[in-house]
Amino acid sequence: DEYQWKGPFYFIQGADPQFGLMKAWAIGDINNGDDEWGEEIKLAEQAVQAINKLNPKPKFFVLCGDLIHGMPGTQWRKGQEQDLKNVLKNTDQDIPLVFVSGNHDIGNTPTRETIDNYCKNWGDDYFSFWVGGVFFLVLNSQLYFDSSKCPELKQVQDVWLNEQLAVAEKHKCKHIIVFQHIPLFLRKPDEDHDYFNLEKSVRREIMEKFHKAGIKAVFSGHYHRNAGGSYRGLEMVVSSAIGCQLGEDTHGLRVVVVTDEKIVHRYYSLNELSSQGIEKELLDMLAKQN
């Protein structure tokens, strides 16, 4: 049923609730300072309340990685995970949750074990799904960042991705949209590699593959600031965090409207989305029946 285009719809993208980072960042101890996350709980609750009030309802709510701050094997991780689950349980049951793995969820250099643990807790680290004629791909971008401890898992994801893109072509989907934690790039496709984007040769290969497949947009987080750019018709959208901000942006969520022709999105602060909801211009796009 979901292979068929039924008219415009929208979804909500959030990133980096990252329970524990605000305290760790404030005291300058990124590795051990994450023993409190009361601020993040409040922000995540505000995000869920804002989403629950929206009318019409979004098709789903995707969280693009770094669900919590505690790296695999660290002290506060279990508590952070439990508290985030407790908050997310209150999401309207008609709004499915989609989880994307981030570097804090599976480690900067993931292993089979850290990925297995993530999958037990949050679901698959990569998968695809259809909504109203649109094909969505969730990727484990950590395998592109550093797969040195599990090269075979990267290979398996690569093979799977090629199969999925063949499926998308066969079904003549309306759009293909990708979710991953680490952006391909922040502003320019040929920018230098650093912690917040993918290594240049890896990036080029993925961008070319995505371009050839006709992928319209990649949504990510990781940067804790809003950014983005484009490569040959592929839009790279980098959304700031629900949790700790590292730049000038405010805690927020992105509203993404998918129409027949295009993908339109806008970042809202949590306060804005809570108090005013989605602006008329985007609601009008949803009301247009094709």
Side-chain angles (χ1 to χ4, degrees):
D1 190 40
E2 290 296 340
Y3 289 150
Q4 304 307 315
W5 175 253
K6 306 186 189 71
F9 64 87
Y10 82 103
F11 62 86
I12 301 289
Q13 183 220 5
D16 303 270
Q18 205 157 341
F19 281 25
L21 175 59
M22 288 172 89
K23 161 104 188 279
W25 187 259
I27 65 169
D29 183 359
I30 289 300
N31 297 323
N32 308 299
D34 60 330
D35 59 343
E36 289 173 26
W37 48 91
E39 279 298 305
E40 286 96 338
I41 289 176
K42 283 195 204 112
L43 290 161
E45 284 172 344
Q46 190 182 0
V48 166
Q49 286 157 8
I51 291 168
N52 286 347
K53 282 199 319 209
L54 294 173
N55 185 18
K57 288 188 205 306
K59 286 286 186 184
F60 60 87
F61 171 28
V62 57
L63 273 170
C64 281
D66 281 2
L67 306 173
I68 55 161
H69 183 67
M71 286 279 188
T74 58
Q75 191 175 0
W76 310 107
R77 186 175 167 92
K78 281 270 175 281
Q80 290 166 4
E81 285 181 336
Q82 196 49 57
D83 284 351
L84 179 57
K85 286 181 180 179
N86 289 341
V87 173
L88 293 173
K89 273 206 287 258
N90 297 317
T91 310
D92 184 312
Q93 59 189 30
D94 293 330
I95 304 171
L97 292 164
V98 177
F99 298 111
V100 182
S101 63
N103 56 305
H104 282 263
D105 306 311
I106 58 176
N108 285 322
T109 307
T111 64
R112 183 176 284 277
E113 186 189 11
T114 64
I115 291 173
D116 282 349
N117 283 338
Y118 170 86
C119 293
K120 283 192 192 91
N121 255 310
W122 300 102
D124 291 339
D125 58 322
Y126 57 89
F127 55 97
S128 64
F129 61 98
W130 288 81
V131 176
V134 177
F135 191 47
F136 291 93
L137 290 162
V138 171
L139 298 179
N140 179 346
S141 57
Q142 226 44 48
L143 294 174
Y144 297 127
F145 191 82
D146 182 359
S147 62
S148 57
K149 287 188 178 161
C150 54
E152 72 290 354
L153 295 185
K154 178 186 182 291
Q155 272 181 313
V156 174
Q157 177 174 256
D158 286 345
V159 169
W160 173 86
L161 178 58
N162 291 336
E163 287 166 356
Q164 296 298 304
L165 294 175
V167 165
E169 189 176 25
K170 192 178 105 199
H171 281 288
K172 299 283 177 272
C173 55
K174 188 62 82 174
H175 304 291
I176 311 173
I177 295 174
V178 171
F179 299 120
Q180 60 187 56
H181 178 61
I182 300 181
L184 298 169
F185 57 90
L186 298 173
R187 291 193 171 81
K188 296 197 172 81
D190 59 351
E191 70 197 16
D192 288 341
H193 165 57
D194 66 20
Y195 175 77
F196 288 113
N197 60 20
L198 291 179
E199 195 273 315
K200 268 182 161 176
S201 62
V202 175
R203 180 196 316 167
R204 269 198 296 272
E205 190 182 325
I206 298 170
M207 289 190 310
E208 218 19 65
K209 178 181 285 196
F210 285 4
H211 165 67
K212 282 204 182 96
I215 291 171
K216 290 278 175 68
V218 177
F219 289 88
S220 69
H222 189 52
Y223 191 44
H224 295 255
R225 287 156 282 221
N226 287 308
S230 63
Y231 171 80
R232 301 178 70 185
L234 167 72
E235 189 182 6
M236 182 66 241
V237 185
V238 184
S239 293
S240 197
I242 293 169
C244 189
Q245 300 300 311
L246 302 185
E248 302 302 307
D249 295 295
T250 46
H251 311 281
L253 294 164
R254 194 172 291 278
V255 172
V256 186
V257 176
V258 183
T259 75
D260 192 15
E261 272 121 45
K262 56 189 179 190
I263 293 149
V264 182
H265 52 86
R266 170 153 181 231
Y267 186 83
Y268 290 82
S269 74
L270 294 180
N271 292 342
E272 223 182 336
L273 200 59
S274 304
S275 59
Q276 293 152 33
I278 300 172
E279 70 206 277
K280 186 174 182 312
E281 186 192 350
L282 294 184
L283 288 172
D284 287 348
M285 284 181 184
L286 290 170
K288 284 202 177 95
Q289 279 311 313
N290 301 9

